[in-house]
Amino acid sequence: MALSRLLPRLQPRPEPVPDPAPEEPAHAVEEAPRLQAVPAPTSAPEPTPQPVPEGALMANVVALANQKGGVAKTTTTLNLGVALRELGHRVLVIDLDPQGNLTMSQGMNPDAIERSMFDVLVHRVPISDIIKTVEVDVAVASIDLAGAELALSALIGRERALEKALVEVRDRYDYVLIDTPPSLGLLTINAFVAADGVIVPVQCEYLSLRGLVQLENTLAMVRENLNPKVHVQGIVPTMYDGRTLHAREAIEILEEHFGDLVYGTRIRKTVRYAEAPVKGSSVLKYDPTGPAAQAYRDLAKEVLDGAQARDDA
Ligand code: ADP
Ligand code: MG
């Protein structure tokens, strides 16, 4: 398989070793080359995040990430969220992309929003103050979120701003899905630090597959320095056109390298996914009985099965 040469360094994820959960290395950030734009101060140690009470019912926090744009991160965040809601779960979706597409997809205008995730991350406004209830609860983005990376970079604990903000609401939801921007910058790092797992939407094209190496490298760095539990929990092939050999090959390569991490659900290419946001709705509301909606219901079941398998392990 010639295309598999494109992914020379990818290895299937080894079975997770029961993690001894070492104390977070206080100065580990300094060792991570890409996270050290601002040296961590040696005085004034960062306040320890509030411990999550053992055994409490806590949301499963999932970041939807891929540094490539246009791979269906936002579409997957919303429609997976609505599908989980349909199954009776309490769902919060967080718009962490300054473009505000998730916010727009639920019929809100990011330019007209006064307080958003920017204020949560930078000014420590409680996240419950900026959540709007539409088909699911949405923590909204506004255009100022574009300045969040810069504003955060000067703050102590800049990688943990989202994790801290979520402490307030983690027991109110079963699932928190975070839509991230198309980069591996500080906003996405915040999502990785707050998350239990990462779901990676991947367009079924080989050029899209290459970015996974860089994504996995960033995650490895976050695991080492900031959040030992975060891992890729699943890969969703999106915009799949089964009529093309290329798309089928792309799936083969994905499965060759990631095995069971690749969900069985294929999100097919259809204009329904582009039409729904224009109406400010998920595809499950826009075309409830169509195959586009069904695909995300199938994905939701797979995500729940994965969570169940982990709980049973
Ligand atoms: P990202 O958040 O990764 O940038 P989006 O979810 O915004 O990607 O999707 C990019 C564009 O592709 C949007 O216009 C969206 O409506 C459209 N789209 C998403 N999923 C599909 C699909 N399965 N088939 C066709 N178009 C899609
Ligand atoms: Mg997006």
Side-chain angles (χ1 to χ4, degrees):
M1 160 68 60
L3 291 181
S4 56
R5 271 188 282 123
L6 286 160
L7 295 170
R9 288 186 296 142
L10 284 179
Q11 296 296 330
R13 183 165 61 90
E15 275 308 297
V17 192
D19 202 324
E23 277 300 299
E24 183 217 327
H27 301 291
V29 168
E30 293 176 355
E31 286 151 30
R34 303 209 23 203
L35 298 180
Q36 67 175 173
V38 177
T42 43
S43 54
E46 179 189 332
T48 3
Q50 259 176 267
V52 172
E54 205 56 52
L57 280 177
M58 288 291 154
N60 204 324
V61 181
V62 180
L64 283 287
N66 186 331
Q67 72 275 25
K68 193 172 186 308
V71 298
K73 287 182 289 295
T74 303
T75 305
T76 301
T77 307
L78 177 62
N79 290 293
L80 176 59
V82 173
L84 288 166
R85 180 80 199 96
E86 268 191 7
L87 291 168
H89 296 281
R90 298 167 302 167
V91 177
L92 170 66
V93 296
I94 298 179
D95 192 349
L96 215 57
D97 183 351
Q99 294 175 82
N101 290 347
L102 179 64
T103 302
M104 277 190 266
S105 302
Q106 282 285 271
M108 294 172 281
N109 176 3
D111 297 338
I113 278 167
E114 266 181 35
R115 288 196 305 171
S116 75
M117 283 307 295
F118 175 84
D119 303 277
V120 171
L121 298 173
V122 178
H123 300 311
R124 307 226 168 156
V125 165
I127 192 166
S128 54
D129 285 10
I130 63 110
I131 291 174
K132 311 274 183 216
T133 301
V134 194
E135 286 175 74
V136 284
D137 283 4
V138 186
V140 293
S142 63
I143 190 73
D144 9 331
L145 197 53
E149 299 226 347
L150 191 61
L152 274 177
S153 67
L155 300 182
I156 297 170
R158 58 193 178 270
E159 295 96 355
R160 297 201 181 275
L162 180 60
E163 181 190 37
K164 286 192 186 119
L166 285 181
V167 169
E168 181 204 354
V169 294
R170 272 196 89 159
D171 60 352
R172 295 185 207 163
Y173 295 100
D174 302 307
Y175 275 88
V176 175
L177 306 181
I178 309 166
D179 185 26
T180 62
S183 81
L184 295 170
L186 198 43
L187 286 169
T188 303
I189 301 280
N190 261 273
F192 290 165
V193 172
D196 301 301
V198 179
I199 292 180
V200 188
V202 179
Q203 214 176 330
C204 297
E205 289 179 356
Y206 67 77
L207 285 180
S208 297
L209 306 187
R210 298 200 62 168
L212 294 182
V213 177
Q214 204 188 345
L215 178 69
E216 185 47 62
N217 288 345
T218 303
L219 264 183
M221 205 163 61
V222 171
R223 256 195 308 276
E224 203 171 304
N225 297 304
L226 295 156
N227 177 9
K229 68 175 185 272
V230 71
H231 62 278
V232 174
Q233 78 178 60
I235 296 175
V236 193
T238 63
M239 305 190 192
Y240 179 69
D241 181 351
R243 292 168 305 181
T244 69
L245 176 64
H246 185 77
R248 294 199 302 272
E249 279 192 347
I251 298 260
E252 258 178 50
I253 295 170
L254 266 183
E255 289 181 336
E256 202 174 291
H257 286 276
F258 293 99
D260 289 349
L261 281 184
V262 184
Y263 290 118
T265 307
R266 309 279 175 257
I267 309 293
R268 290 178 180 272
K269 198 176 265 185
T270 157
V271 74
R272 290 284 176 271
Y273 294 115
E275 289 169 353
V278 180
K279 304 285 179 196
S281 64
S282 71
V283 86
L284 287 88
K285 185 175 173 202
Y286 175 69
D287 183 16
T289 56
Q294 192 53 42
Y296 276 101
R297 291 190 188 107
D298 293 345
L299 181 65
K301 291 201 186 97
E302 281 199 84
V303 169
L304 292 171
D305 287 349
Q308 188 60 46
R310 258 196 320 280
D311 289 348
D312 293 347

